[in-house]
């Protein structure tokens, strides 16, 4: 009786293990080439994000610079008006 | 025997679990495809954004360059209004630096030290007046700097005025007033040799120390020590007198009077 029980348990375990291996082997996972393509795409996206950030900073600097130049030109026009007034006195 | 059974069971369970975990960690093809789709979309969006940014940057750079030209033209027009140009304006800008530094230097002095350097205040005042004479001073940048300088000079002069005693020159026949005699008075310096102090403190109204006029209001600088400028002026004067005496030995050299 004891021998019979042991045999049943051993066979049960063997089936369980074999079943797990079967499941693992039959699941549809991507191959190495596909994983490599995914990684390449990830790298490309990260690089693009970096470039976009840099360009946004550059654009913002340029906009600030233009605003400053416009202010200087405006000030220069105001100065001209003041000088004309002083010359007229 | 029981121990062996237990060990077999543990090994079987551990193996089964590890296979299960390995299966769970792996990505399925569906997940891979989904991630590929998401990343491709993100990449396309980023590429479009980058293209738009490049276009904006190019347009902004052109605008910025154009504004540089516009600004230079505006400046030229501004300087032309006062008959000047950028080079002259730069030179004038630099010329303002020295009096500004001098004013700041004098403002830091104590009243006594300022008194000893009163001639520098007079020089500074003349320099500021000279700078106002240039038409570039009408440009607000320079106008503002000169106005600030004027304020400082005015404040320095007020400080000096508060410390300066005033002496009204009397007549020669009655008071025997000359710089030498005035300096000798007990309520002035009580020391005739300090007369160059009075001369240098009143350079605006005394050109020749031998000539002063009745009714002149002379400022009497405080302190009984001559500064370098006063000593130099005195030395120059004595050389001049010595040369004059050598040229005309018959004249009476004794009296330093009527200074």
């Amino acid at each position: 009786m004891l021998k019979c029980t042991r045999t049943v348990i051993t066979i049960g375990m063997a089936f369980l293990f074999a079943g797990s291996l079967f499941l693992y082997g039959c699941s549809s996972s991507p191959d190495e080439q596909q994983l490599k393509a995914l990684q390449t795409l990830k790298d490309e996206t990260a690089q693009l994000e970096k470039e976009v950030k840099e360009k946004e900073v550059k654009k913002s600097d340029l906009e600030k610079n233009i605003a400053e130049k416009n202010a200087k030109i405006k000030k220069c026009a105001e100065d001209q008006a003041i000088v004309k007034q002083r010359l007229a006195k | 025997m029981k121990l062996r059974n237990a060990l077999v069971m543990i090994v079987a369970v551990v193996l089964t679990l590890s296979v299960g975990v390995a299966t769970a960690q792996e990505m399925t093809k569906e997940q891979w495809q989904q991630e590929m789709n998401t990343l491709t979309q993100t990449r396309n969006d980023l590429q479009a954004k980058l293209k738009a940014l490049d276009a904006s940057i190019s347009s902004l750079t052109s605008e910025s360059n154009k504004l540089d030209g516009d600004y230079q033209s505006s400046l030229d027009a501004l300087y032309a209004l006062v008959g000047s140009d950028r080079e002259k304006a730069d030179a004038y800008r630099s010329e303002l630096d020295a009096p500004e530094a001098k004013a700041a230097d004098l403002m830091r002095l104590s009243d006594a030290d300022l008194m000893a350097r009163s001639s520098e205040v007079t020089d500074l005042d003349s320099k500021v007046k000279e700078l106002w004479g240039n038409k570039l001073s009408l440009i607000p940048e320079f106008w503002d700097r000169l106005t600030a300088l004027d304020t400082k000079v005015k404040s320095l002069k007020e400080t000096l005025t508060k410390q300066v005693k005033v002496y009204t020159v009397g007549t020669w026949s009655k008071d025997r007033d000359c710089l030498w005699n005035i300096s000798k008075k007990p309520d002035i310096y009580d020391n005739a040799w300090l007369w160059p102090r009075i001369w240098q403190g009143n350079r605006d109204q005394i050109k020749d120390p031998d000539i002063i006029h009745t009714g002149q209001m002379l400022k009497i600088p405080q302190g009984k020590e001559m500064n370098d400028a006063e000593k130099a002026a005195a030395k120059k004067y004595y050389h001049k007198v010595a040369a004059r005496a050598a040229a005309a030995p018959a004249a009476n050299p004794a009296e330093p009077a009527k200074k």
Side-chain angles (χ1 to χ4, degrees):
Chain A
M1 188 62 187
L2 185 69
K3 200 176 174 183
C4 186
T5 311
R6 213 169 59 200
T7 311
V8 168
I9 289 170
T10 312
I11 290 169
M13 289 295 166
F15 267 107
L16 196 62
F17 182 62
S20 304
L21 279 178
F22 176 78
L23 266 175
Y24 177 64
C26 293
S27 61
S28 58
S29 52
D31 59 28
E32 202 176 310
Q33 216 170 1
Q34 287 170 323
L35 288 173
K36 203 176 164 187
L38 181 67
Q39 190 55 47
T40 308
L41 195 54
K42 275 183 182 171
D43 293 345
E44 200 180 341
T45 311
Q47 179 61 30
L48 279 167
E49 272 171 359
K50 196 180 155 198
E51 278 179 42
V52 164
K53 270 182 193 164
E54 283 170 3
K55 300 263 171 164
E56 274 171 346
V57 169
K58 193 174 176 184
K59 187 186 168 191
S60 163
D61 286 348
L62 269 169
E63 282 169 342
K64 202 174 150 192
N65 195 260
I66 285 172
E68 281 169 6
K69 285 179 184 172
N70 275 322
K72 277 162 88 175
I73 291 171
K74 194 181 164 201
K75 169 87 172 50
C76 209
E78 287 167 0
D79 284 356
Q80 284 182 31
I82 292 169
V83 170
K84 279 177 191 166
Q85 275 177 9
R86 287 177 181 160
L87 281 169
K89 278 181 189 171
Chain B
M1 207 56 161
K2 271 187 182 177
L3 184 68
R4 218 177 78 185
N5 279 344
L7 276 175
V8 168
M9 278 181 78
I10 288 166
V11 169
V13 169
V14 167
L15 278 172
T16 308
L17 284 176
S18 25
V19 169
V21 168
T23 312
Q25 277 178 346
E26 277 296 323
M27 176 189 262
T28 63
K29 258 195 178 169
E30 288 73 32
Q31 286 170 330
W32 174 82
Q33 189 58 55
Q34 204 178 353
E35 200 162 341
M36 281 295 281
N37 290 344
T38 311
L39 283 171
T40 307
Q41 182 60 46
T42 309
R43 183 195 61 188
N44 292 343
D45 290 348
L46 285 169
Q47 279 173 337
K49 203 171 178 182
L50 200 59
K51 204 175 166 188
L53 277 169
D54 279 336
S56 294
I57 287 170
S58 165
S59 149
L60 288 170
T61 307
S62 309
E63 193 183 342
S64 177
N65 291 339
K66 186 184 165 290
L67 286 175
D68 280 337
D70 290 352
Y71 178 60
Q72 293 307 327
S73 306
S74 297
L75 268 186
D76 288 341
L78 176 66
Y79 295 141
L81 282 175
V82 290
S84 194
D85 55 35
R86 262 184 269 173
E87 265 183 35
K88 285 177 190 161
D90 287 342
Y92 187 70
R93 194 174 286 114
S94 306
E95 209 182 336
L96 274 167
D97 292 341
E100 278 175 342
K102 173 64 80 181
D105 182 32
L106 292 171
M107 293 288 282
R108 279 193 291 269
L109 295 177
S110 66
D111 287 356
D113 289 341
L114 182 66
M115 202 63 225
R117 289 168 67 178
S118 59
S119 60
E120 290 179 43
V121 177
T122 314
D123 291 344
L124 182 64
D125 191 27
S126 310
K127 182 66 187 174
V128 173
K129 278 181 184 135
E130 182 194 320
L131 287 165
W132 274 118
N134 191 321
K135 270 193 169 182
L136 274 166
S137 64
L138 297 175
I139 292 172
E141 175 198 346
F142 304 125
W143 180 282
D144 295 344
R145 286 175 71 177
L146 282 168
T147 306
L149 253 177
D150 258 349
T151 310
K152 284 181 184 169
V153 171
K154 197 178 161 194
S155 154
L156 289 167
K157 282 163 80 178
E158 276 171 10
T159 309
L160 286 177
T161 310
K162 279 178 200 161
Q163 292 185 75
V164 174
K165 203 190 289 182
V166 174
Y167 179 84
T168 307
V169 179
T171 58
W172 174 250
S173 55
K174 186 184 161 204
D175 306 297
R176 290 282 186 252
D177 271 352
C178 61
L179 294 184
W180 175 272
N181 288 341
I182 294 170
S183 186
K184 198 164 65 178
K185 289 178 190 285
D187 57 334
I188 303 293
Y189 294 134
D190 199 20
N191 179 354
W193 293 101
L194 290 178
W195 67 266
R197 296 218 71 196
I198 307 175
W199 175 27
Q200 290 302 295
N202 294 275
R203 279 200 324 187
D204 52 333
Q205 48 178 328
I206 302 175
K207 304 298 171 205
D208 180 348
D210 287 330
I211 303 169
I212 55 172
H213 304 284
T214 306
Q216 263 184 319
M217 311 267 280
L218 301 181
K219 291 167 277 195
I220 310 296
Q222 296 292 292
K224 291 194 173 184
E225 274 194 29
M226 285 202 286
N227 62 31
D228 291 344
E230 289 159 357
K231 283 177 190 164
K235 196 173 168 187
K236 199 174 165 188
Y237 172 81
Y238 290 130
H239 276 292
K240 199 175 136 190
V241 170
R244 212 189 305 158
N252 179 7
E255 170 87 335
K258 273 246 161 189
K259 283 192 186 78

